[in-house]
Amino acid sequence: MGDSVGGRNPALRALLAQLAATLLVGGLVYLGAQLSDWRAPWLLAGLAQGLVAACLGQWLGLARWWWWLNLLFVPALLLGSGARLPGWVFLVAFALLLLLNWNSLIERVPLYLSGARCREQLVALLAARAADFRFVDLGCGPAGTLLHLARRFPEAQFVGVETAPLTFAIAWLRCLGRGNCRVRYASLWRTDLSAFEVVYCFLSPAPMAALWEKARAQMKADAWLVSNSFEVPGVAADRAIELHDWRRSRLLLWRMGGESGASPGE
């Protein structure tokens, strides 16, 4: 089942898991009330619903971080309702979540954050390039990785592109005052990759085939395409670096132009 829906929007799959879990647990609670005098505590029912939703989400092929979101979503709503929070609080929370994860709905690219080990390996890779290289992060999120690299390589130029409104605003503000780092509110599909020696992305499986075609058409022969975790279908990476983190992530590097490209410090 997970493979059959693997190409669908992850937010829709999460919604499907929530609805199915609510129907299942709600039906069991109703049936139990009809057959006995026992009434399930509302928080216990919410936790049961969250556990079922989390398991269904994994079965539907959602990334691991969705497990916690699916588990805690309904219990958090129930706790908030018990605290008699005004309705606008939930509306604001939903709006913030939407603005942070806009790419998940529009481009099937959820917000992934590169970890410390990824940054360390990127530093090691980039040290092999000329000092004045140009680097772009396609979907830079809140710009943590971008800023870390900009500090380590002051002579290089770093650009991040982001289309989730709130995430972009956070990244733009964080990069203010750094002369070698800037963030654009732009889609990766409208970004000219020919201007960069290194293109980095941490996206999802959905756009990788199209991104590879774009990279082949626009990137120079000595440039690198570096993807965190997600492969290009049918195209073996020139180098794969295990990050040994809880996600079992890898950095996958493709040299544009094959053997004519620059060596990544092997």
PDB file of all heavy atoms in Angstrom, residues 7-15 62-63 65-66 69 97-112 162-165 167 202-204 206-207:
ATOM      1  N   GLY A   7       3.808   8.348  -4.488  1.00  0.00           N
ATOM      2  CA  GLY A   7       3.973   9.591  -5.202  1.00  0.00           C
ATOM      3  C   GLY A   7       3.009  10.676  -4.784  1.00  0.00           C
ATOM      4  O   GLY A   7       3.046  11.769  -5.299  1.00  0.00           O
ATOM      5  N   ARG A   8       2.103  10.382  -3.870  1.00  0.00           N
ATOM      6  CA  ARG A   8       1.103  11.380  -3.500  1.00  0.00           C
ATOM      7  C   ARG A   8       1.670  12.403  -2.531  1.00  0.00           C
ATOM      8  O   ARG A   8       2.693  12.207  -1.900  1.00  0.00           O
ATOM      9  CB  ARG A   8      -0.112  10.700  -2.869  1.00  0.00           C
ATOM     10  CG  ARG A   8      -0.866   9.785  -3.832  1.00  0.00           C
ATOM     11  CD  ARG A   8      -2.073   9.179  -3.138  1.00  0.00           C
ATOM     12  NE  ARG A   8      -2.709   8.173  -3.976  1.00  0.00           N
ATOM     13  CZ  ARG A   8      -3.703   7.423  -3.561  1.00  0.00           C
ATOM     14  NH1 ARG A   8      -4.173   7.536  -2.339  1.00  0.00           N
ATOM     15  NH2 ARG A   8      -4.236   6.536  -4.372  1.00  0.00           N
ATOM     16  N   ASN A   9       0.922  13.477  -2.395  1.00  0.00           N
ATOM     17  CA  ASN A   9       1.293  14.533  -1.468  1.00  0.00           C
ATOM     18  C   ASN A   9       1.348  13.999  -0.048  1.00  0.00           C
ATOM     19  O   ASN A   9       0.389  13.397   0.425  1.00  0.00           O
ATOM     20  CB  ASN A   9       0.229  15.635  -1.585  1.00  0.00           C
ATOM     21  CG  ASN A   9       0.638  16.879  -0.852  1.00  0.00           C
ATOM     22  OD1 ASN A   9       0.921  16.838   0.334  1.00  0.00           O
ATOM     23  ND2 ASN A   9       0.648  17.979  -1.558  1.00  0.00           N
ATOM     24  N   PRO A  10       2.462  14.198   0.677  1.00  0.00           N
ATOM     25  CA  PRO A  10       2.551  13.664   2.040  1.00  0.00           C
ATOM     26  C   PRO A  10       1.515  14.251   2.984  1.00  0.00           C
ATOM     27  O   PRO A  10       1.062  13.563   3.906  1.00  0.00           O
ATOM     28  CB  PRO A  10       3.982  14.030   2.465  1.00  0.00           C
ATOM     29  CG  PRO A  10       4.403  15.103   1.538  1.00  0.00           C
ATOM     30  CD  PRO A  10       3.710  14.847   0.244  1.00  0.00           C
ATOM     31  N   ALA A  11       1.136  15.519   2.784  1.00  0.00           N
ATOM     32  CA  ALA A  11       0.118  16.111   3.649  1.00  0.00           C
ATOM     33  C   ALA A  11      -1.231  15.407   3.466  1.00  0.00           C
ATOM     34  O   ALA A  11      -1.972  15.191   4.434  1.00  0.00           O
ATOM     35  CB  ALA A  11      -0.019  17.598   3.351  1.00  0.00           C
ATOM     36  N   LEU A  12      -1.541  15.013   2.233  1.00  0.00           N
ATOM     37  CA  LEU A  12      -2.790  14.304   1.985  1.00  0.00           C
ATOM     38  C   LEU A  12      -2.750  12.904   2.587  1.00  0.00           C
ATOM     39  O   LEU A  12      -3.755  12.399   3.090  1.00  0.00           O
ATOM     40  CB  LEU A  12      -3.063  14.233   0.484  1.00  0.00           C
ATOM     41  CG  LEU A  12      -3.374  15.563  -0.205  1.00  0.00           C
ATOM     42  CD1 LEU A  12      -3.619  15.343  -1.692  1.00  0.00           C
ATOM     43  CD2 LEU A  12      -4.575  16.239   0.439  1.00  0.00           C
ATOM     44  N   ARG A  13      -1.579  12.277   2.535  1.00  0.00           N
ATOM     45  CA  ARG A  13      -1.448  10.963   3.156  1.00  0.00           C
ATOM     46  C   ARG A  13      -1.600  11.052   4.676  1.00  0.00           C
ATOM     47  O   ARG A  13      -2.204  10.185   5.308  1.00  0.00           O
ATOM     48  CB  ARG A  13      -0.104  10.331   2.788  1.00  0.00           C
ATOM     49  CG  ARG A  13      -0.097   9.710   1.402  1.00  0.00           C
ATOM     50  CD  ARG A  13       1.234   9.073   1.110  1.00  0.00           C
ATOM     51  NE  ARG A  13       2.204  10.071   0.686  1.00  0.00           N
ATOM     52  CZ  ARG A  13       3.515   9.888   0.706  1.00  0.00           C
ATOM     53  NH1 ARG A  13       4.018   8.767   1.158  1.00  0.00           N
ATOM     54  NH2 ARG A  13       4.323  10.823   0.275  1.00  0.00           N
ATOM     55  N   ALA A  14      -1.042  12.114   5.265  1.00  0.00           N
ATOM     56  CA  ALA A  14      -1.192  12.312   6.707  1.00  0.00           C
ATOM     57  C   ALA A  14      -2.659  12.537   7.057  1.00  0.00           C
ATOM     58  O   ALA A  14      -3.157  12.018   8.069  1.00  0.00           O
ATOM     59  CB  ALA A  14      -0.346  13.498   7.164  1.00  0.00           C
ATOM     60  N   LEU A  15      -3.357  13.326   6.237  1.00  0.00           N
ATOM     61  CA  LEU A  15      -4.778  13.556   6.469  1.00  0.00           C
ATOM     62  C   LEU A  15      -5.564  12.252   6.354  1.00  0.00           C
ATOM     63  O   LEU A  15      -6.463  11.981   7.174  1.00  0.00           O
ATOM     64  CB  LEU A  15      -5.304  14.581   5.462  1.00  0.00           C
ATOM     65  CG  LEU A  15      -6.803  14.905   5.537  1.00  0.00           C
ATOM     66  CD1 LEU A  15      -7.154  15.481   6.904  1.00  0.00           C
ATOM     67  CD2 LEU A  15      -7.196  15.881   4.432  1.00  0.00           C
ATOM     68  N   LEU A  62       5.036   7.676   4.746  1.00  0.00           N
ATOM     69  CA  LEU A  62       5.444   9.009   5.192  1.00  0.00           C
ATOM     70  C   LEU A  62       6.832   8.959   5.830  1.00  0.00           C
ATOM     71  O   LEU A  62       7.245   7.939   6.380  1.00  0.00           O
ATOM     72  CB  LEU A  62       4.439   9.567   6.198  1.00  0.00           C
ATOM     73  CG  LEU A  62       3.073   9.959   5.634  1.00  0.00           C
ATOM     74  CD1 LEU A  62       2.125  10.342   6.762  1.00  0.00           C
ATOM     75  CD2 LEU A  62       3.204  11.119   4.655  1.00  0.00           C
ATOM     76  N   ALA A  63       7.531  10.088   5.758  1.00  0.00           N
ATOM     77  CA  ALA A  63       8.846  10.190   6.396  1.00  0.00           C
ATOM     78  C   ALA A  63       8.717  10.026   7.911  1.00  0.00           C
ATOM     79  O   ALA A  63       7.648  10.225   8.504  1.00  0.00           O
ATOM     80  CB  ALA A  63       9.483  11.544   6.075  1.00  0.00           C
ATOM     81  N   TRP A  65       9.615  11.753  10.503  1.00  0.00           N
ATOM     82  CA  TRP A  65       9.214  12.866  11.363  1.00  0.00           C
ATOM     83  C   TRP A  65       7.699  13.038  11.392  1.00  0.00           C
ATOM     84  O   TRP A  65       7.159  13.605  12.341  1.00  0.00           O
ATOM     85  CB  TRP A  65       9.897  14.162  10.917  1.00  0.00           C
ATOM     86  CG  TRP A  65       9.524  14.656   9.559  1.00  0.00           C
ATOM     87  CD1 TRP A  65      10.108  14.349   8.380  1.00  0.00           C
ATOM     88  CD2 TRP A  65       8.471  15.586   9.243  1.00  0.00           C
ATOM     89  NE1 TRP A  65       9.498  15.002   7.341  1.00  0.00           N
ATOM     90  CE2 TRP A  65       8.503  15.777   7.844  1.00  0.00           C
ATOM     91  CE3 TRP A  65       7.516  16.277  10.002  1.00  0.00           C
ATOM     92  CZ2 TRP A  65       7.610  16.620   7.196  1.00  0.00           C
ATOM     93  CZ3 TRP A  65       6.631  17.120   9.343  1.00  0.00           C
ATOM     94  CH2 TRP A  65       6.694  17.282   7.961  1.00  0.00           C
ATOM     95  N   TRP A  66       6.992  12.518  10.373  1.00  0.00           N
ATOM     96  CA  TRP A  66       5.534  12.575  10.394  1.00  0.00           C
ATOM     97  C   TRP A  66       4.966  11.700  11.505  1.00  0.00           C
ATOM     98  O   TRP A  66       3.831  11.897  11.923  1.00  0.00           O
ATOM     99  CB  TRP A  66       4.970  12.104   9.041  1.00  0.00           C
ATOM    100  CG  TRP A  66       4.983  13.148   7.962  1.00  0.00           C
ATOM    101  CD1 TRP A  66       5.914  13.313   6.992  1.00  0.00           C
ATOM    102  CD2 TRP A  66       4.007  14.174   7.744  1.00  0.00           C
ATOM    103  NE1 TRP A  66       5.596  14.358   6.183  1.00  0.00           N
ATOM    104  CE2 TRP A  66       4.421  14.907   6.622  1.00  0.00           C
ATOM    105  CE3 TRP A  66       2.822  14.532   8.392  1.00  0.00           C
ATOM    106  CZ2 TRP A  66       3.700  15.986   6.126  1.00  0.00           C
ATOM    107  CZ3 TRP A  66       2.093  15.610   7.894  1.00  0.00           C
ATOM    108  CH2 TRP A  66       2.539  16.321   6.779  1.00  0.00           C
ATOM    109  N   LEU A  69       4.177  13.827  14.481  1.00  0.00           N
ATOM    110  CA  LEU A  69       3.105  14.770  14.178  1.00  0.00           C
ATOM    111  C   LEU A  69       1.757  14.071  14.188  1.00  0.00           C
ATOM    112  O   LEU A  69       0.782  14.568  14.772  1.00  0.00           O
ATOM    113  CB  LEU A  69       3.370  15.424  12.817  1.00  0.00           C
ATOM    114  CG  LEU A  69       2.376  16.510  12.384  1.00  0.00           C
ATOM    115  CD1 LEU A  69       2.369  17.648  13.386  1.00  0.00           C
ATOM    116  CD2 LEU A  69       2.743  17.030  11.003  1.00  0.00           C
ATOM    117  N   LEU A  97       1.641  26.620  10.660  1.00  0.00           N
ATOM    118  CA  LEU A  97       2.088  25.339  10.128  1.00  0.00           C
ATOM    119  C   LEU A  97       2.032  25.338   8.606  1.00  0.00           C
ATOM    120  O   LEU A  97       2.948  24.842   7.933  1.00  0.00           O
ATOM    121  CB  LEU A  97       1.223  24.214  10.689  1.00  0.00           C
ATOM    122  CG  LEU A  97       1.622  22.788  10.305  1.00  0.00           C
ATOM    123  CD1 LEU A  97       2.995  22.447  10.857  1.00  0.00           C
ATOM    124  CD2 LEU A  97       0.589  21.789  10.818  1.00  0.00           C
ATOM    125  N   LEU A  98       0.988  25.920   8.046  1.00  0.00           N
ATOM    126  CA  LEU A  98       0.843  25.984   6.592  1.00  0.00           C
ATOM    127  C   LEU A  98       1.928  26.854   5.974  1.00  0.00           C
ATOM    128  O   LEU A  98       2.529  26.489   4.955  1.00  0.00           O
ATOM    129  CB  LEU A  98      -0.542  26.528   6.239  1.00  0.00           C
ATOM    130  CG  LEU A  98      -0.880  26.621   4.747  1.00  0.00           C
ATOM    131  CD1 LEU A  98      -0.894  25.235   4.125  1.00  0.00           C
ATOM    132  CD2 LEU A  98      -2.221  27.309   4.547  1.00  0.00           C
ATOM    133  N   LEU A  99       2.205  27.996   6.585  1.00  0.00           N
ATOM    134  CA  LEU A  99       3.201  28.913   6.042  1.00  0.00           C
ATOM    135  C   LEU A  99       4.616  28.353   6.140  1.00  0.00           C
ATOM    136  O   LEU A  99       5.481  28.671   5.324  1.00  0.00           O
ATOM    137  CB  LEU A  99       3.123  30.263   6.769  1.00  0.00           C
ATOM    138  CG  LEU A  99       1.855  31.080   6.502  1.00  0.00           C
ATOM    139  CD1 LEU A  99       1.818  32.307   7.398  1.00  0.00           C
ATOM    140  CD2 LEU A  99       1.767  31.488   5.037  1.00  0.00           C
ATOM    141  N   LEU A 100       4.845  27.513   7.136  1.00  0.00           N
ATOM    142  CA  LEU A 100       6.153  26.880   7.278  1.00  0.00           C
ATOM    143  C   LEU A 100       6.330  25.707   6.321  1.00  0.00           C
ATOM    144  O   LEU A 100       7.455  25.388   5.926  1.00  0.00           O
ATOM    145  CB  LEU A 100       6.358  26.395   8.719  1.00  0.00           C
ATOM    146  CG  LEU A 100       6.713  27.448   9.758  1.00  0.00           C
ATOM    147  CD1 LEU A 100       6.614  26.856  11.159  1.00  0.00           C
ATOM    148  CD2 LEU A 100       8.121  28.009   9.518  1.00  0.00           C
ATOM    149  N   ASN A 101       5.231  25.044   5.966  1.00  0.00           N
ATOM    150  CA  ASN A 101       5.300  23.825   5.161  1.00  0.00           C
ATOM    151  C   ASN A 101       4.562  23.968   3.839  1.00  0.00           C
ATOM    152  O   ASN A 101       4.024  22.989   3.324  1.00  0.00           O
ATOM    153  CB  ASN A 101       4.720  22.652   5.956  1.00  0.00           C
ATOM    154  CG  ASN A 101       5.586  22.282   7.132  1.00  0.00           C
ATOM    155  OD1 ASN A 101       6.552  21.546   7.005  1.00  0.00           O
ATOM    156  ND2 ASN A 101       5.244  22.799   8.306  1.00  0.00           N
ATOM    157  N   TRP A 102       4.526  25.164   3.285  1.00  0.00           N
ATOM    158  CA  TRP A 102       3.813  25.424   2.050  1.00  0.00           C
ATOM    159  C   TRP A 102       4.291  24.513   0.924  1.00  0.00           C
ATOM    160  O   TRP A 102       3.517  24.041   0.102  1.00  0.00           O
ATOM    161  CB  TRP A 102       3.999  26.886   1.662  1.00  0.00           C
ATOM    162  CG  TRP A 102       3.180  27.319   0.486  1.00  0.00           C
ATOM    163  CD1 TRP A 102       3.619  27.537  -0.785  1.00  0.00           C
ATOM    164  CD2 TRP A 102       1.766  27.591   0.476  1.00  0.00           C
ATOM    165  NE1 TRP A 102       2.577  27.941  -1.588  1.00  0.00           N
ATOM    166  CE2 TRP A 102       1.427  27.977  -0.837  1.00  0.00           C
ATOM    167  CE3 TRP A 102       0.768  27.547   1.446  1.00  0.00           C
ATOM    168  CZ2 TRP A 102       0.122  28.316  -1.194  1.00  0.00           C
ATOM    169  CZ3 TRP A 102      -0.520  27.882   1.076  1.00  0.00           C
ATOM    170  CH2 TRP A 102      -0.825  28.253  -0.225  1.00  0.00           C
ATOM    171  N   ASN A 103       5.605  24.233   0.897  1.00  0.00           N
ATOM    172  CA  ASN A 103       6.161  23.401  -0.177  1.00  0.00           C
ATOM    173  C   ASN A 103       5.632  21.975  -0.134  1.00  0.00           C
ATOM    174  O   ASN A 103       5.587  21.292  -1.154  1.00  0.00           O
ATOM    175  CB  ASN A 103       7.689  23.375  -0.090  1.00  0.00           C
ATOM    176  CG  ASN A 103       8.284  24.746  -0.349  1.00  0.00           C
ATOM    177  OD1 ASN A 103       7.667  25.570  -1.004  1.00  0.00           O
ATOM    178  ND2 ASN A 103       9.465  24.991   0.170  1.00  0.00           N
ATOM    179  N   SER A 104       5.253  21.516   1.064  1.00  0.00           N
ATOM    180  CA  SER A 104       4.718  20.164   1.177  1.00  0.00           C
ATOM    181  C   SER A 104       3.402  20.037   0.422  1.00  0.00           C
ATOM    182  O   SER A 104       3.108  18.996  -0.169  1.00  0.00           O
ATOM    183  CB  SER A 104       4.514  19.796   2.655  1.00  0.00           C
ATOM    184  OG  SER A 104       3.972  18.517   2.786  1.00  0.00           O
ATOM    185  N   LEU A 105       2.611  21.100   0.417  1.00  0.00           N
ATOM    186  CA  LEU A 105       1.319  21.079  -0.256  1.00  0.00           C
ATOM    187  C   LEU A 105       1.446  21.349  -1.746  1.00  0.00           C
ATOM    188  O   LEU A 105       0.772  20.725  -2.562  1.00  0.00           O
ATOM    189  CB  LEU A 105       0.393  22.129   0.376  1.00  0.00           C
ATOM    190  CG  LEU A 105       0.056  21.939   1.855  1.00  0.00           C
ATOM    191  CD1 LEU A 105      -0.733  23.132   2.364  1.00  0.00           C
ATOM    192  CD2 LEU A 105      -0.734  20.661   2.061  1.00  0.00           C
ATOM    193  N   ILE A 106       2.326  22.283  -2.124  1.00  0.00           N
ATOM    194  CA  ILE A 106       2.402  22.736  -3.508  1.00  0.00           C
ATOM    195  C   ILE A 106       3.362  21.887  -4.340  1.00  0.00           C
ATOM    196  O   ILE A 106       3.042  21.487  -5.459  1.00  0.00           O
ATOM    197  CB  ILE A 106       2.832  24.216  -3.560  1.00  0.00           C
ATOM    198  CG1 ILE A 106       1.852  25.075  -2.745  1.00  0.00           C
ATOM    199  CG2 ILE A 106       2.893  24.702  -5.008  1.00  0.00           C
ATOM    200  CD1 ILE A 106       0.416  24.985  -3.202  1.00  0.00           C
ATOM    201  N   GLU A 107       4.553  21.591  -3.799  1.00  0.00           N
ATOM    202  CA  GLU A 107       5.581  20.921  -4.584  1.00  0.00           C
ATOM    203  C   GLU A 107       5.949  19.547  -4.044  1.00  0.00           C
ATOM    204  O   GLU A 107       6.913  18.942  -4.512  1.00  0.00           O
ATOM    205  CB  GLU A 107       6.831  21.807  -4.643  1.00  0.00           C
ATOM    206  CG  GLU A 107       6.596  23.140  -5.353  1.00  0.00           C
ATOM    207  CD  GLU A 107       7.840  24.005  -5.390  1.00  0.00           C
ATOM    208  OE1 GLU A 107       8.794  23.708  -4.638  1.00  0.00           O
ATOM    209  OE2 GLU A 107       7.865  24.968  -6.164  1.00  0.00           O
ATOM    210  N   ARG A 108       5.205  19.051  -3.048  1.00  0.00           N
ATOM    211  CA  ARG A 108       5.489  17.746  -2.440  1.00  0.00           C
ATOM    212  C   ARG A 108       6.904  17.684  -1.872  1.00  0.00           C
ATOM    213  O   ARG A 108       7.600  16.673  -1.962  1.00  0.00           O
ATOM    214  CB  ARG A 108       5.258  16.617  -3.447  1.00  0.00           C
ATOM    215  CG  ARG A 108       3.809  16.488  -3.884  1.00  0.00           C
ATOM    216  CD  ARG A 108       3.608  15.294  -4.775  1.00  0.00           C
ATOM    217  NE  ARG A 108       4.263  15.484  -6.069  1.00  0.00           N
ATOM    218  CZ  ARG A 108       4.380  14.532  -6.981  1.00  0.00           C
ATOM    219  NH1 ARG A 108       3.919  13.326  -6.754  1.00  0.00           N
ATOM    220  NH2 ARG A 108       4.976  14.775  -8.130  1.00  0.00           N
ATOM    221  N   VAL A 109       7.338  18.806  -1.292  1.00  0.00           N
ATOM    222  CA  VAL A 109       8.655  18.895  -0.669  1.00  0.00           C
ATOM    223  C   VAL A 109       8.471  19.389   0.755  1.00  0.00           C
ATOM    224  O   VAL A 109       8.343  20.591   0.991  1.00  0.00           O
ATOM    225  CB  VAL A 109       9.590  19.860  -1.445  1.00  0.00           C
ATOM    226  CG1 VAL A 109      10.936  19.963  -0.737  1.00  0.00           C
ATOM    227  CG2 VAL A 109       9.769  19.385  -2.878  1.00  0.00           C
ATOM    228  N   PRO A 110       8.429  18.499   1.745  1.00  0.00           N
ATOM    229  CA  PRO A 110       8.267  18.933   3.130  1.00  0.00           C
ATOM    230  C   PRO A 110       9.518  19.624   3.649  1.00  0.00           C
ATOM    231  O   PRO A 110      10.576  19.599   3.014  1.00  0.00           O
ATOM    232  CB  PRO A 110       8.015  17.615   3.878  1.00  0.00           C
ATOM    233  CG  PRO A 110       8.632  16.574   3.033  1.00  0.00           C
ATOM    234  CD  PRO A 110       8.490  17.042   1.609  1.00  0.00           C
ATOM    235  N   LEU A 111       9.393  20.256   4.802  1.00  0.00           N
ATOM    236  CA  LEU A 111      10.521  20.955   5.411  1.00  0.00           C
ATOM    237  C   LEU A 111      11.434  19.941   6.085  1.00  0.00           C
ATOM    238  O   LEU A 111      11.105  19.376   7.125  1.00  0.00           O
ATOM    239  CB  LEU A 111      10.023  21.980   6.431  1.00  0.00           C
ATOM    240  CG  LEU A 111      11.104  22.734   7.216  1.00  0.00           C
ATOM    241  CD1 LEU A 111      11.998  23.524   6.265  1.00  0.00           C
ATOM    242  CD2 LEU A 111      10.470  23.656   8.253  1.00  0.00           C
ATOM    243  N   TYR A 112      12.595  19.693   5.477  1.00  0.00           N
ATOM    244  CA  TYR A 112      13.626  18.851   6.073  1.00  0.00           C
ATOM    245  C   TYR A 112      14.773  19.749   6.524  1.00  0.00           C
ATOM    246  O   TYR A 112      15.146  20.685   5.810  1.00  0.00           O
ATOM    247  CB  TYR A 112      14.169  17.826   5.068  1.00  0.00           C
ATOM    248  CG  TYR A 112      13.210  16.734   4.681  1.00  0.00           C
ATOM    249  CD1 TYR A 112      12.854  16.541   3.352  1.00  0.00           C
ATOM    250  CD2 TYR A 112      12.681  15.872   5.635  1.00  0.00           C
ATOM    251  CE1 TYR A 112      11.989  15.511   2.977  1.00  0.00           C
ATOM    252  CE2 TYR A 112      11.812  14.854   5.275  1.00  0.00           C
ATOM    253  CZ  TYR A 112      11.474  14.673   3.952  1.00  0.00           C
ATOM    254  OH  TYR A 112      10.618  13.670   3.594  1.00  0.00           O
ATOM    255  N   GLU A 162      13.744  29.804  -1.474  1.00  0.00           N
ATOM    256  CA  GLU A 162      12.695  29.248  -0.623  1.00  0.00           C
ATOM    257  C   GLU A 162      11.361  29.862  -1.026  1.00  0.00           C
ATOM    258  O   GLU A 162      11.289  31.046  -1.360  1.00  0.00           O
ATOM    259  CB  GLU A 162      12.997  29.556   0.845  1.00  0.00           C
ATOM    260  CG  GLU A 162      11.990  29.019   1.842  1.00  0.00           C
ATOM    261  CD  GLU A 162      11.852  27.507   1.772  1.00  0.00           C
ATOM    262  OE1 GLU A 162      12.860  26.795   1.947  1.00  0.00           O
ATOM    263  OE2 GLU A 162      10.717  27.051   1.515  1.00  0.00           O
ATOM    264  N   THR A 163      10.279  29.044  -1.001  1.00  0.00           N
ATOM    265  CA  THR A 163       8.961  29.542  -1.363  1.00  0.00           C
ATOM    266  C   THR A 163       7.926  29.404  -0.250  1.00  0.00           C
ATOM    267  O   THR A 163       6.804  29.878  -0.423  1.00  0.00           O
ATOM    268  CB  THR A 163       8.428  28.822  -2.614  1.00  0.00           C
ATOM    269  OG1 THR A 163       8.424  27.414  -2.393  1.00  0.00           O
ATOM    270  CG2 THR A 163       9.269  29.153  -3.841  1.00  0.00           C
ATOM    271  N   ALA A 164       8.259  28.761   0.867  1.00  0.00           N
ATOM    272  CA  ALA A 164       7.341  28.753   2.008  1.00  0.00           C
ATOM    273  C   ALA A 164       7.439  30.120   2.676  1.00  0.00           C
ATOM    274  O   ALA A 164       8.515  30.502   3.142  1.00  0.00           O
ATOM    275  CB  ALA A 164       7.715  27.645   2.988  1.00  0.00           C
ATOM    276  N   PRO A 165       6.351  30.903   2.723  1.00  0.00           N
ATOM    277  CA  PRO A 165       6.445  32.314   3.118  1.00  0.00           C
ATOM    278  C   PRO A 165       7.101  32.562   4.471  1.00  0.00           C
ATOM    279  O   PRO A 165       8.018  33.389   4.584  1.00  0.00           O
ATOM    280  CB  PRO A 165       4.977  32.769   3.111  1.00  0.00           C
ATOM    281  CG  PRO A 165       4.303  31.863   2.150  1.00  0.00           C
ATOM    282  CD  PRO A 165       4.983  30.533   2.303  1.00  0.00           C
ATOM    283  N   THR A 167       8.914  30.489   6.332  1.00  0.00           N
ATOM    284  CA  THR A 167      10.279  29.959   6.328  1.00  0.00           C
ATOM    285  C   THR A 167      11.221  30.910   5.607  1.00  0.00           C
ATOM    286  O   THR A 167      12.347  31.162   6.064  1.00  0.00           O
ATOM    287  CB  THR A 167      10.313  28.577   5.656  1.00  0.00           C
ATOM    288  OG1 THR A 167       9.316  27.743   6.252  1.00  0.00           O
ATOM    289  CG2 THR A 167      11.665  27.932   5.818  1.00  0.00           C
ATOM    290  N   PHE A 202      17.859  19.265  -0.344  1.00  0.00           N
ATOM    291  CA  PHE A 202      17.319  18.247   0.565  1.00  0.00           C
ATOM    292  C   PHE A 202      15.816  18.303   0.362  1.00  0.00           C
ATOM    293  O   PHE A 202      15.102  18.985   1.085  1.00  0.00           O
ATOM    294  CB  PHE A 202      17.725  18.565   2.003  1.00  0.00           C
ATOM    295  CG  PHE A 202      17.455  17.449   2.993  1.00  0.00           C
ATOM    296  CD1 PHE A 202      17.021  16.204   2.590  1.00  0.00           C
ATOM    297  CD2 PHE A 202      17.656  17.656   4.346  1.00  0.00           C
ATOM    298  CE1 PHE A 202      16.780  15.183   3.495  1.00  0.00           C
ATOM    299  CE2 PHE A 202      17.425  16.651   5.272  1.00  0.00           C
ATOM    300  CZ  PHE A 202      16.989  15.418   4.840  1.00  0.00           C
ATOM    301  N   LEU A 203      15.325  17.607  -0.653  1.00  0.00           N
ATOM    302  CA  LEU A 203      13.960  17.798  -1.131  1.00  0.00           C
ATOM    303  C   LEU A 203      13.070  16.607  -0.773  1.00  0.00           C
ATOM    304  O   LEU A 203      12.648  16.452   0.357  1.00  0.00           O
ATOM    305  CB  LEU A 203      13.988  18.037  -2.645  1.00  0.00           C
ATOM    306  CG  LEU A 203      14.823  19.250  -3.099  1.00  0.00           C
ATOM    307  CD1 LEU A 203      14.952  19.294  -4.611  1.00  0.00           C
ATOM    308  CD2 LEU A 203      14.225  20.538  -2.570  1.00  0.00           C
ATOM    309  N   SER A 204      12.780  15.772  -1.717  1.00  0.00           N
ATOM    310  CA  SER A 204      11.987  14.556  -1.548  1.00  0.00           C
ATOM    311  C   SER A 204      12.182  13.755  -2.832  1.00  0.00           C
ATOM    312  O   SER A 204      12.754  14.270  -3.807  1.00  0.00           O
ATOM    313  CB  SER A 204      10.505  14.881  -1.323  1.00  0.00           C
ATOM    314  OG  SER A 204       9.875  15.235  -2.544  1.00  0.00           O
ATOM    315  N   ALA A 206      10.038  13.122  -5.036  1.00  0.00           N
ATOM    316  CA  ALA A 206       9.150  13.596  -6.104  1.00  0.00           C
ATOM    317  C   ALA A 206       9.834  14.436  -7.184  1.00  0.00           C
ATOM    318  O   ALA A 206       9.609  14.204  -8.379  1.00  0.00           O
ATOM    319  CB  ALA A 206       7.970  14.357  -5.499  1.00  0.00           C
ATOM    320  N   PRO A 207      10.663  15.447  -6.842  1.00  0.00           N
ATOM    321  CA  PRO A 207      11.199  16.310  -7.892  1.00  0.00           C
ATOM    322  C   PRO A 207      12.556  15.895  -8.448  1.00  0.00           C
ATOM    323  O   PRO A 207      13.085  16.579  -9.317  1.00  0.00           O
ATOM    324  CB  PRO A 207      11.326  17.656  -7.173  1.00  0.00           C
ATOM    325  CG  PRO A 207      11.665  17.284  -5.770  1.00  0.00           C
ATOM    326  CD  PRO A 207      10.961  15.983  -5.485  1.00  0.00           C
TER     327      PRO A 207
END
